[in-house]
Amino acid sequence: MADMARDYYEVLGISRDAGETDIKKAYRRLAMEYHPDRNNGDKSAEEKFKQVSEAYDVLRDPAKRAQYDRYGAAGLRGPAGAGFGFHPFDLSEALSVFMRDFGGLSGLESLFGGGERSRRGQRRGPDVQVTLRVTLDEVATGATRKVKLRTLERCPKCEGSGGKGGQKPVPCRTCGGSGEVRRATQSFFGQFVSVTSCPTCGGEGTVVQEPCEQCRGDGRVRAERTVEIEIPAGVSGNNYLTLRGHGAAGPRNAGPGDLIVALEVEEDPRFERHGDDLVYDLPITFSQAALGADLSVPSPSGAATVRVPPGVQSGTILTVRGKGLPSLAHGGRGNLHVRIQVWTPQRLNPEQKELFDRMAEIESKPQGDSVGRRFWNRIRDALGA
Ligand SMILES: [Zn+2]
Ligand SMILES: [Zn+2]
């Protein structure tokens, strides 16, 4: 059983002597990250949400925590256990733990900052996710992209009401219009009341009596739409853009979901990217290395010039300020780092051959300058001569 191996302290990322406040803080942060309302029903997020809720529910309670510290969850779960009834949480238990301690649904909405979201987030249209591949040049300048979405739009026939001929929905009789049904459940710890959305109206509180022929009462139809997406300069593959209200329409005129744009930045063979900084490998010749040169290097904002000092060594990094990528976080631009690679010619024409022969002759004589001498001493040492 995989859950036996889980350590509640590790699950919450806290130390074994963490106090009540730390436990609560850690749980709150993780629960908000993995809450199903924020993860589009992603199964692994839901799994995490259940795990952190279970861990929190044990560790927040001094008695349960003491038992857990002594015996671990597995020992307490078995038939010979101390009777705390630890077990892997299901989603509704996890949600009720979260709601119990973090102020219920309205609290949840304000925690998430989703003010326009309707009750339980169920009426609102679904979020639509698209992935955009952008080049490094587009990251450098920012870009505007048009994207075609296949999604759900308000039904034109009933104007979204879902009722035949635009008929308005009427209050649901199962839940009396509240959209919620309450259910009391008996558990080891006593009775607890869970609130779920009404099965008749799906949480909306209203129902359509005679459905529209075109959308069958849903208030939406399939449609294609083109959206223009502004990609700000400086983005990376870790960034998401959220276009509020640009997702699918909600059922029966409920608010639309969001359009979530995941970004993938294509590798640029010329550069290594490190945040806003770029690294470029520049091959130079022996003579350029020895004599120094002003050389042209590519950058996402056009060619730049790097001043190579005389006597540069392979592997030296020269920095061209402000020629990296724009910074999304704090404005300004990163730097372009030019990594020098002294290139050895593989074929010499007769003239070059002659010059290198002449060079070799000079190098074999005792050197006047101290750096050159040090170099030859090192070579001699390496050869054990
Ligand atoms: Zn319709
Ligand atoms: Zn209802």
PDB file of all heavy atoms in Angstrom, residues 246-283:
ATOM      1  N   HIS A 246     -12.228  34.340 -21.213  1.00  0.00           N
ATOM      2  CA  HIS A 246     -12.071  33.945 -22.605  1.00  0.00           C
ATOM      3  C   HIS A 246     -12.152  32.438 -22.809  1.00  0.00           C
ATOM      4  O   HIS A 246     -11.844  31.928 -23.883  1.00  0.00           O
ATOM      5  CB  HIS A 246     -10.756  34.479 -23.172  1.00  0.00           C
ATOM      6  CG  HIS A 246     -10.807  35.936 -23.504  1.00  0.00           C
ATOM      7  ND1 HIS A 246     -10.696  36.906 -22.536  1.00  0.00           N
ATOM      8  CD2 HIS A 246     -11.001  36.577 -24.673  1.00  0.00           C
ATOM      9  CE1 HIS A 246     -10.800  38.095 -23.125  1.00  0.00           C
ATOM     10  NE2 HIS A 246     -10.986  37.925 -24.416  1.00  0.00           N
ATOM     11  N   GLY A 247     -12.558  31.709 -21.780  1.00  0.00           N
ATOM     12  CA  GLY A 247     -12.738  30.261 -21.916  1.00  0.00           C
ATOM     13  C   GLY A 247     -14.119  29.965 -22.474  1.00  0.00           C
ATOM     14  O   GLY A 247     -14.733  30.806 -23.135  1.00  0.00           O
ATOM     15  N   ALA A 248     -14.617  28.763 -22.209  1.00  0.00           N
ATOM     16  CA  ALA A 248     -15.924  28.368 -22.733  1.00  0.00           C
ATOM     17  C   ALA A 248     -17.040  29.085 -21.971  1.00  0.00           C
ATOM     18  O   ALA A 248     -16.895  29.429 -20.798  1.00  0.00           O
ATOM     19  CB  ALA A 248     -16.085  26.861 -22.599  1.00  0.00           C
ATOM     20  N   ALA A 249     -18.147  29.303 -22.663  1.00  0.00           N
ATOM     21  CA  ALA A 249     -19.316  29.911 -22.028  1.00  0.00           C
ATOM     22  C   ALA A 249     -19.831  28.987 -20.934  1.00  0.00           C
ATOM     23  O   ALA A 249     -19.668  27.771 -21.003  1.00  0.00           O
ATOM     24  CB  ALA A 249     -20.403  30.137 -23.069  1.00  0.00           C
ATOM     25  N   GLY A 250     -20.458  29.546 -19.915  1.00  0.00           N
ATOM     26  CA  GLY A 250     -21.075  28.735 -18.876  1.00  0.00           C
ATOM     27  C   GLY A 250     -22.459  28.302 -19.317  1.00  0.00           C
ATOM     28  O   GLY A 250     -23.054  28.903 -20.215  1.00  0.00           O
ATOM     29  N   PRO A 251     -22.994  27.248 -18.702  1.00  0.00           N
ATOM     30  CA  PRO A 251     -24.339  26.816 -19.073  1.00  0.00           C
ATOM     31  C   PRO A 251     -25.381  27.867 -18.684  1.00  0.00           C
ATOM     32  O   PRO A 251     -25.233  28.532 -17.660  1.00  0.00           O
ATOM     33  CB  PRO A 251     -24.524  25.514 -18.290  1.00  0.00           C
ATOM     34  CG  PRO A 251     -23.564  25.616 -17.149  1.00  0.00           C
ATOM     35  CD  PRO A 251     -22.410  26.445 -17.626  1.00  0.00           C
ATOM     36  N   ARG A 252     -26.374  27.991 -19.507  1.00  0.00           N
ATOM     37  CA  ARG A 252     -27.510  28.894 -19.234  1.00  0.00           C
ATOM     38  C   ARG A 252     -27.080  30.268 -18.714  1.00  0.00           C
ATOM     39  O   ARG A 252     -27.435  30.683 -17.616  1.00  0.00           O
ATOM     40  CB  ARG A 252     -28.494  28.229 -18.275  1.00  0.00           C
ATOM     41  CG  ARG A 252     -29.272  27.098 -18.974  1.00  0.00           C
ATOM     42  CD  ARG A 252     -30.031  26.224 -18.025  1.00  0.00           C
ATOM     43  NE  ARG A 252     -29.165  25.416 -17.187  1.00  0.00           N
ATOM     44  CZ  ARG A 252     -28.502  24.337 -17.597  1.00  0.00           C
ATOM     45  NH1 ARG A 252     -28.607  23.928 -18.843  1.00  0.00           N
ATOM     46  NH2 ARG A 252     -27.721  23.680 -16.780  1.00  0.00           N
ATOM     47  N   ASN A 253     -26.278  30.907 -19.530  1.00  0.00           N
ATOM     48  CA  ASN A 253     -25.838  32.281 -19.265  1.00  0.00           C
ATOM     49  C   ASN A 253     -24.977  32.461 -18.009  1.00  0.00           C
ATOM     50  O   ASN A 253     -24.812  33.579 -17.541  1.00  0.00           O
ATOM     51  CB  ASN A 253     -27.030  33.238 -19.209  1.00  0.00           C
ATOM     52  CG  ASN A 253     -27.572  33.503 -20.603  1.00  0.00           C
ATOM     53  OD1 ASN A 253     -26.812  33.511 -21.571  1.00  0.00           O
ATOM     54  ND2 ASN A 253     -28.881  33.690 -20.707  1.00  0.00           N
ATOM     55  N   ALA A 254     -24.438  31.358 -17.508  1.00  0.00           N
ATOM     56  CA  ALA A 254     -23.476  31.521 -16.401  1.00  0.00           C
ATOM     57  C   ALA A 254     -22.184  32.081 -16.995  1.00  0.00           C
ATOM     58  O   ALA A 254     -21.941  31.968 -18.194  1.00  0.00           O
ATOM     59  CB  ALA A 254     -23.210  30.171 -15.739  1.00  0.00           C
ATOM     60  N   GLY A 255     -21.378  32.659 -16.148  1.00  0.00           N
ATOM     61  CA  GLY A 255     -20.156  33.313 -16.621  1.00  0.00           C
ATOM     62  C   GLY A 255     -19.219  32.360 -17.345  1.00  0.00           C
ATOM     63  O   GLY A 255     -19.239  31.160 -17.115  1.00  0.00           O
ATOM     64  N   PRO A 256     -18.420  32.892 -18.229  1.00  0.00           N
ATOM     65  CA  PRO A 256     -17.482  32.054 -18.970  1.00  0.00           C
ATOM     66  C   PRO A 256     -16.270  31.672 -18.135  1.00  0.00           C
ATOM     67  O   PRO A 256     -15.961  32.328 -17.138  1.00  0.00           O
ATOM     68  CB  PRO A 256     -17.056  32.957 -20.134  1.00  0.00           C
ATOM     69  CG  PRO A 256     -17.187  34.347 -19.596  1.00  0.00           C
ATOM     70  CD  PRO A 256     -18.327  34.314 -18.601  1.00  0.00           C
ATOM     71  N   GLY A 257     -15.600  30.600 -18.532  1.00  0.00           N
ATOM     72  CA  GLY A 257     -14.340  30.211 -17.895  1.00  0.00           C
ATOM     73  C   GLY A 257     -13.202  31.068 -18.431  1.00  0.00           C
ATOM     74  O   GLY A 257     -13.425  32.028 -19.166  1.00  0.00           O
ATOM     75  N   ASP A 258     -11.995  30.706 -18.046  1.00  0.00           N
ATOM     76  CA  ASP A 258     -10.827  31.469 -18.485  1.00  0.00           C
ATOM     77  C   ASP A 258     -10.100  30.728 -19.605  1.00  0.00           C
ATOM     78  O   ASP A 258     -10.255  29.522 -19.766  1.00  0.00           O
ATOM     79  CB  ASP A 258      -9.849  31.647 -17.315  1.00  0.00           C
ATOM     80  CG  ASP A 258     -10.486  32.427 -16.164  1.00  0.00           C
ATOM     81  OD1 ASP A 258     -11.406  33.214 -16.434  1.00  0.00           O
ATOM     82  OD2 ASP A 258     -10.062  32.216 -15.010  1.00  0.00           O
ATOM     83  N   LEU A 259      -9.337  31.483 -20.332  1.00  0.00           N
ATOM     84  CA  LEU A 259      -8.450  30.858 -21.303  1.00  0.00           C
ATOM     85  C   LEU A 259      -7.054  30.853 -20.684  1.00  0.00           C
ATOM     86  O   LEU A 259      -6.533  31.890 -20.289  1.00  0.00           O
ATOM     87  CB  LEU A 259      -8.449  31.661 -22.610  1.00  0.00           C
ATOM     88  CG  LEU A 259      -7.447  31.201 -23.673  1.00  0.00           C
ATOM     89  CD1 LEU A 259      -7.707  29.762 -24.098  1.00  0.00           C
ATOM     90  CD2 LEU A 259      -7.508  32.122 -24.892  1.00  0.00           C
ATOM     91  N   ILE A 260      -6.514  29.644 -20.529  1.00  0.00           N
ATOM     92  CA  ILE A 260      -5.190  29.518 -19.923  1.00  0.00           C
ATOM     93  C   ILE A 260      -4.202  29.204 -21.034  1.00  0.00           C
ATOM     94  O   ILE A 260      -4.396  28.230 -21.771  1.00  0.00           O
ATOM     95  CB  ILE A 260      -5.169  28.362 -18.896  1.00  0.00           C
ATOM     96  CG1 ILE A 260      -6.423  28.401 -18.052  1.00  0.00           C
ATOM     97  CG2 ILE A 260      -3.860  28.361 -18.122  1.00  0.00           C
ATOM     98  CD1 ILE A 260      -6.303  28.849 -16.679  1.00  0.00           C
ATOM     99  N   VAL A 261      -3.214  30.019 -21.163  1.00  0.00           N
ATOM    100  CA  VAL A 261      -2.244  29.827 -22.234  1.00  0.00           C
ATOM    101  C   VAL A 261      -0.925  29.351 -21.625  1.00  0.00           C
ATOM    102  O   VAL A 261      -0.283  30.083 -20.876  1.00  0.00           O
ATOM    103  CB  VAL A 261      -2.008  31.139 -23.007  1.00  0.00           C
ATOM    104  CG1 VAL A 261      -1.076  30.903 -24.183  1.00  0.00           C
ATOM    105  CG2 VAL A 261      -3.328  31.730 -23.476  1.00  0.00           C
ATOM    106  N   ALA A 262      -0.586  28.101 -21.911  1.00  0.00           N
ATOM    107  CA  ALA A 262       0.709  27.582 -21.450  1.00  0.00           C
ATOM    108  C   ALA A 262       1.732  27.921 -22.527  1.00  0.00           C
ATOM    109  O   ALA A 262       1.429  27.878 -23.713  1.00  0.00           O
ATOM    110  CB  ALA A 262       0.625  26.071 -21.262  1.00  0.00           C
ATOM    111  N   LEU A 263       2.918  28.282 -22.108  1.00  0.00           N
ATOM    112  CA  LEU A 263       3.924  28.691 -23.089  1.00  0.00           C
ATOM    113  C   LEU A 263       5.051  27.682 -23.162  1.00  0.00           C
ATOM    114  O   LEU A 263       5.476  27.138 -22.150  1.00  0.00           O
ATOM    115  CB  LEU A 263       4.487  30.064 -22.704  1.00  0.00           C
ATOM    116  CG  LEU A 263       3.471  31.195 -22.755  1.00  0.00           C
ATOM    117  CD1 LEU A 263       4.044  32.445 -22.119  1.00  0.00           C
ATOM    118  CD2 LEU A 263       3.046  31.476 -24.183  1.00  0.00           C
ATOM    119  N   GLU A 264       5.472  27.419 -24.382  1.00  0.00           N
ATOM    120  CA  GLU A 264       6.636  26.573 -24.597  1.00  0.00           C
ATOM    121  C   GLU A 264       7.620  27.395 -25.388  1.00  0.00           C
ATOM    122  O   GLU A 264       7.287  27.886 -26.461  1.00  0.00           O
ATOM    123  CB  GLU A 264       6.245  25.354 -25.432  1.00  0.00           C
ATOM    124  CG  GLU A 264       6.096  24.088 -24.645  1.00  0.00           C
ATOM    125  CD  GLU A 264       5.622  22.955 -25.533  1.00  0.00           C
ATOM    126  OE1 GLU A 264       6.106  22.833 -26.674  1.00  0.00           O
ATOM    127  OE2 GLU A 264       4.744  22.214 -25.068  1.00  0.00           O
ATOM    128  N   VAL A 265       8.805  27.578 -24.854  1.00  0.00           N
ATOM    129  CA  VAL A 265       9.792  28.364 -25.586  1.00  0.00           C
ATOM    130  C   VAL A 265      10.704  27.410 -26.344  1.00  0.00           C
ATOM    131  O   VAL A 265      11.292  26.505 -25.763  1.00  0.00           O
ATOM    132  CB  VAL A 265      10.606  29.262 -24.629  1.00  0.00           C
ATOM    133  CG1 VAL A 265      11.626  30.078 -25.410  1.00  0.00           C
ATOM    134  CG2 VAL A 265       9.671  30.190 -23.863  1.00  0.00           C
ATOM    135  N   GLU A 266      10.772  27.587 -27.653  1.00  0.00           N
ATOM    136  CA  GLU A 266      11.609  26.713 -28.473  1.00  0.00           C
ATOM    137  C   GLU A 266      13.082  26.937 -28.140  1.00  0.00           C
ATOM    138  O   GLU A 266      13.497  28.054 -27.886  1.00  0.00           O
ATOM    139  CB  GLU A 266      11.402  27.041 -29.958  1.00  0.00           C
ATOM    140  CG  GLU A 266      10.169  26.410 -30.530  1.00  0.00           C
ATOM    141  CD  GLU A 266       9.896  26.902 -31.953  1.00  0.00           C
ATOM    142  OE1 GLU A 266      10.864  27.173 -32.676  1.00  0.00           O
ATOM    143  OE2 GLU A 266       8.711  27.025 -32.288  1.00  0.00           O
ATOM    144  N   GLU A 267      13.833  25.842 -28.198  1.00  0.00           N
ATOM    145  CA  GLU A 267      15.275  25.961 -28.012  1.00  0.00           C
ATOM    146  C   GLU A 267      15.838  26.763 -29.175  1.00  0.00           C
ATOM    147  O   GLU A 267      15.441  26.576 -30.316  1.00  0.00           O
ATOM    148  CB  GLU A 267      15.911  24.566 -28.054  1.00  0.00           C
ATOM    149  CG  GLU A 267      15.622  23.730 -26.848  1.00  0.00           C
ATOM    150  CD  GLU A 267      16.757  23.822 -25.838  1.00  0.00           C
ATOM    151  OE1 GLU A 267      17.920  23.846 -26.253  1.00  0.00           O
ATOM    152  OE2 GLU A 267      16.442  23.885 -24.633  1.00  0.00           O
ATOM    153  N   ASP A 268      16.747  27.660 -28.874  1.00  0.00           N
ATOM    154  CA  ASP A 268      17.448  28.372 -29.931  1.00  0.00           C
ATOM    155  C   ASP A 268      18.861  27.816 -29.963  1.00  0.00           C
ATOM    156  O   ASP A 268      19.589  27.904 -28.978  1.00  0.00           O
ATOM    157  CB  ASP A 268      17.464  29.877 -29.614  1.00  0.00           C
ATOM    158  CG  ASP A 268      17.980  30.689 -30.779  1.00  0.00           C
ATOM    159  OD1 ASP A 268      19.032  30.313 -31.344  1.00  0.00           O
ATOM    160  OD2 ASP A 268      17.353  31.699 -31.131  1.00  0.00           O
ATOM    161  N   PRO A 269      19.258  27.188 -31.099  1.00  0.00           N
ATOM    162  CA  PRO A 269      20.564  26.518 -31.121  1.00  0.00           C
ATOM    163  C   PRO A 269      21.727  27.477 -30.863  1.00  0.00           C
ATOM    164  O   PRO A 269      22.821  27.045 -30.517  1.00  0.00           O
ATOM    165  CB  PRO A 269      20.643  25.935 -32.538  1.00  0.00           C
ATOM    166  CG  PRO A 269      19.604  26.648 -33.328  1.00  0.00           C
ATOM    167  CD  PRO A 269      18.542  27.078 -32.368  1.00  0.00           C
ATOM    168  N   ARG A 270      21.485  28.771 -31.019  1.00  0.00           N
ATOM    169  CA  ARG A 270      22.599  29.717 -30.850  1.00  0.00           C
ATOM    170  C   ARG A 270      22.906  29.998 -29.378  1.00  0.00           C
ATOM    171  O   ARG A 270      24.016  30.341 -29.020  1.00  0.00           O
ATOM    172  CB  ARG A 270      22.252  31.047 -31.530  1.00  0.00           C
ATOM    173  CG  ARG A 270      22.082  30.929 -33.035  1.00  0.00           C
ATOM    174  CD  ARG A 270      21.522  32.213 -33.611  1.00  0.00           C
ATOM    175  NE  ARG A 270      20.237  32.568 -33.015  1.00  0.00           N
ATOM    176  CZ  ARG A 270      19.628  33.733 -33.194  1.00  0.00           C
ATOM    177  NH1 ARG A 270      20.181  34.679 -33.905  1.00  0.00           N
ATOM    178  NH2 ARG A 270      18.445  33.968 -32.639  1.00  0.00           N
ATOM    179  N   PHE A 271      21.877  29.904 -28.540  1.00  0.00           N
ATOM    180  CA  PHE A 271      22.055  30.393 -27.179  1.00  0.00           C
ATOM    181  C   PHE A 271      21.689  29.352 -26.131  1.00  0.00           C
ATOM    182  O   PHE A 271      20.816  28.526 -26.342  1.00  0.00           O
ATOM    183  CB  PHE A 271      21.159  31.615 -26.927  1.00  0.00           C
ATOM    184  CG  PHE A 271      21.367  32.737 -27.902  1.00  0.00           C
ATOM    185  CD1 PHE A 271      20.423  32.999 -28.883  1.00  0.00           C
ATOM    186  CD2 PHE A 271      22.499  33.530 -27.828  1.00  0.00           C
ATOM    187  CE1 PHE A 271      20.611  34.034 -29.789  1.00  0.00           C
ATOM    188  CE2 PHE A 271      22.696  34.568 -28.717  1.00  0.00           C
ATOM    189  CZ  PHE A 271      21.755  34.832 -29.703  1.00  0.00           C
ATOM    190  N   GLU A 272      22.366  29.478 -24.985  1.00  0.00           N
ATOM    191  CA  GLU A 272      21.898  28.805 -23.766  1.00  0.00           C
ATOM    192  C   GLU A 272      21.183  29.866 -22.969  1.00  0.00           C
ATOM    193  O   GLU A 272      21.722  30.955 -22.792  1.00  0.00           O
ATOM    194  CB  GLU A 272      23.109  28.403 -22.917  1.00  0.00           C
ATOM    195  CG  GLU A 272      23.645  27.026 -23.098  1.00  0.00           C
ATOM    196  CD  GLU A 272      24.972  26.902 -22.342  1.00  0.00           C
ATOM    197  OE1 GLU A 272      25.054  27.347 -21.168  1.00  0.00           O
ATOM    198  OE2 GLU A 272      25.919  26.388 -22.946  1.00  0.00           O
ATOM    199  N   ARG A 273      20.001  29.538 -22.446  1.00  0.00           N
ATOM    200  CA  ARG A 273      19.277  30.546 -21.679  1.00  0.00           C
ATOM    201  C   ARG A 273      19.415  30.272 -20.186  1.00  0.00           C
ATOM    202  O   ARG A 273      19.241  29.141 -19.737  1.00  0.00           O
ATOM    203  CB  ARG A 273      17.797  30.520 -22.062  1.00  0.00           C
ATOM    204  CG  ARG A 273      16.977  31.555 -21.321  1.00  0.00           C
ATOM    205  CD  ARG A 273      15.538  31.571 -21.789  1.00  0.00           C
ATOM    206  NE  ARG A 273      14.795  32.625 -21.088  1.00  0.00           N
ATOM    207  CZ  ARG A 273      13.524  32.890 -21.280  1.00  0.00           C
ATOM    208  NH1 ARG A 273      12.833  32.185 -22.164  1.00  0.00           N
ATOM    209  NH2 ARG A 273      12.920  33.848 -20.608  1.00  0.00           N
ATOM    210  N   HIS A 274      19.720  31.308 -19.415  1.00  0.00           N
ATOM    211  CA  HIS A 274      19.725  31.217 -17.955  1.00  0.00           C
ATOM    212  C   HIS A 274      18.899  32.369 -17.438  1.00  0.00           C
ATOM    213  O   HIS A 274      19.414  33.468 -17.252  1.00  0.00           O
ATOM    214  CB  HIS A 274      21.155  31.278 -17.406  1.00  0.00           C
ATOM    215  CG  HIS A 274      22.032  30.162 -17.897  1.00  0.00           C
ATOM    216  ND1 HIS A 274      22.084  28.937 -17.276  1.00  0.00           N
ATOM    217  CD2 HIS A 274      22.851  30.068 -18.966  1.00  0.00           C
ATOM    218  CE1 HIS A 274      22.914  28.147 -17.939  1.00  0.00           C
ATOM    219  NE2 HIS A 274      23.382  28.809 -18.970  1.00  0.00           N
ATOM    220  N   GLY A 275      17.605  32.166 -17.281  1.00  0.00           N
ATOM    221  CA  GLY A 275      16.722  33.267 -16.885  1.00  0.00           C
ATOM    222  C   GLY A 275      16.712  34.327 -17.967  1.00  0.00           C
ATOM    223  O   GLY A 275      16.350  34.054 -19.104  1.00  0.00           O
ATOM    224  N   ASP A 276      17.124  35.528 -17.608  1.00  0.00           N
ATOM    225  CA  ASP A 276      17.144  36.621 -18.587  1.00  0.00           C
ATOM    226  C   ASP A 276      18.495  36.724 -19.289  1.00  0.00           C
ATOM    227  O   ASP A 276      18.675  37.547 -20.174  1.00  0.00           O
ATOM    228  CB  ASP A 276      16.862  37.964 -17.888  1.00  0.00           C
ATOM    229  CG  ASP A 276      15.584  37.920 -17.080  1.00  0.00           C
ATOM    230  OD1 ASP A 276      14.656  37.210 -17.502  1.00  0.00           O
ATOM    231  OD2 ASP A 276      15.520  38.580 -16.034  1.00  0.00           O
ATOM    232  N   ASP A 277      19.453  35.916 -18.844  1.00  0.00           N
ATOM    233  CA  ASP A 277      20.778  35.975 -19.456  1.00  0.00           C
ATOM    234  C   ASP A 277      20.922  34.899 -20.531  1.00  0.00           C
ATOM    235  O   ASP A 277      20.305  33.838 -20.454  1.00  0.00           O
ATOM    236  CB  ASP A 277      21.865  35.745 -18.387  1.00  0.00           C
ATOM    237  CG  ASP A 277      22.042  36.971 -17.497  1.00  0.00           C
ATOM    238  OD1 ASP A 277      21.332  37.975 -17.720  1.00  0.00           O
ATOM    239  OD2 ASP A 277      22.888  36.923 -16.589  1.00  0.00           O
ATOM    240  N   LEU A 278      21.763  35.194 -21.514  1.00  0.00           N
ATOM    241  CA  LEU A 278      22.033  34.232 -22.570  1.00  0.00           C
ATOM    242  C   LEU A 278      23.535  33.987 -22.653  1.00  0.00           C
ATOM    243  O   LEU A 278      24.336  34.868 -22.341  1.00  0.00           O
ATOM    244  CB  LEU A 278      21.545  34.781 -23.913  1.00  0.00           C
ATOM    245  CG  LEU A 278      20.032  34.988 -24.058  1.00  0.00           C
ATOM    246  CD1 LEU A 278      19.726  35.727 -25.346  1.00  0.00           C
ATOM    247  CD2 LEU A 278      19.298  33.654 -24.020  1.00  0.00           C
ATOM    248  N   VAL A 279      23.878  32.762 -23.064  1.00  0.00           N
ATOM    249  CA  VAL A 279      25.290  32.446 -23.267  1.00  0.00           C
ATOM    250  C   VAL A 279      25.474  32.081 -24.737  1.00  0.00           C
ATOM    251  O   VAL A 279      24.699  31.303 -25.291  1.00  0.00           O
ATOM    252  CB  VAL A 279      25.739  31.266 -22.369  1.00  0.00           C
ATOM    253  CG1 VAL A 279      27.198  30.923 -22.633  1.00  0.00           C
ATOM    254  CG2 VAL A 279      25.517  31.602 -20.897  1.00  0.00           C
ATOM    255  N   TYR A 280      26.472  32.678 -25.345  1.00  0.00           N
ATOM    256  CA  TYR A 280      26.756  32.412 -26.754  1.00  0.00           C
ATOM    257  C   TYR A 280      28.214  31.973 -26.883  1.00  0.00           C
ATOM    258  O   TYR A 280      29.101  32.594 -26.324  1.00  0.00           O
ATOM    259  CB  TYR A 280      26.524  33.687 -27.577  1.00  0.00           C
ATOM    260  CG  TYR A 280      26.898  33.539 -29.026  1.00  0.00           C
ATOM    261  CD1 TYR A 280      26.085  32.818 -29.901  1.00  0.00           C
ATOM    262  CD2 TYR A 280      28.070  34.104 -29.520  1.00  0.00           C
ATOM    263  CE1 TYR A 280      26.432  32.659 -31.235  1.00  0.00           C
ATOM    264  CE2 TYR A 280      28.424  33.955 -30.857  1.00  0.00           C
ATOM    265  CZ  TYR A 280      27.599  33.232 -31.704  1.00  0.00           C
ATOM    266  OH  TYR A 280      27.951  33.071 -33.024  1.00  0.00           O
ATOM    267  N   ASP A 281      28.446  30.851 -27.616  1.00  0.00           N
ATOM    268  CA  ASP A 281      29.814  30.373 -27.830  1.00  0.00           C
ATOM    269  C   ASP A 281      30.395  31.022 -29.071  1.00  0.00           C
ATOM    270  O   ASP A 281      29.846  30.872 -30.160  1.00  0.00           O
ATOM    271  CB  ASP A 281      29.812  28.844 -28.002  1.00  0.00           C
ATOM    272  CG  ASP A 281      29.720  28.144 -26.663  1.00  0.00           C
ATOM    273  OD1 ASP A 281      30.424  28.576 -25.732  1.00  0.00           O
ATOM    274  OD2 ASP A 281      28.934  27.185 -26.544  1.00  0.00           O
ATOM    275  N   LEU A 282      31.507  31.724 -28.892  1.00  0.00           N
ATOM    276  CA  LEU A 282      32.115  32.425 -30.022  1.00  0.00           C
ATOM    277  C   LEU A 282      33.477  31.811 -30.360  1.00  0.00           C
ATOM    278  O   LEU A 282      34.424  31.900 -29.579  1.00  0.00           O
ATOM    279  CB  LEU A 282      32.293  33.911 -29.675  1.00  0.00           C
ATOM    280  CG  LEU A 282      33.008  34.766 -30.723  1.00  0.00           C
ATOM    281  CD1 LEU A 282      32.155  34.899 -31.988  1.00  0.00           C
ATOM    282  CD2 LEU A 282      33.344  36.146 -30.167  1.00  0.00           C
ATOM    283  N   PRO A 283      33.574  31.175 -31.542  1.00  0.00           N
ATOM    284  CA  PRO A 283      34.872  30.655 -31.956  1.00  0.00           C
ATOM    285  C   PRO A 283      35.738  31.796 -32.495  1.00  0.00           C
ATOM    286  O   PRO A 283      35.254  32.612 -33.276  1.00  0.00           O
ATOM    287  CB  PRO A 283      34.531  29.661 -33.078  1.00  0.00           C
ATOM    288  CG  PRO A 283      33.124  29.941 -33.479  1.00  0.00           C
ATOM    289  CD  PRO A 283      32.518  30.932 -32.545  1.00  0.00           C
TER     290      PRO A 283
END
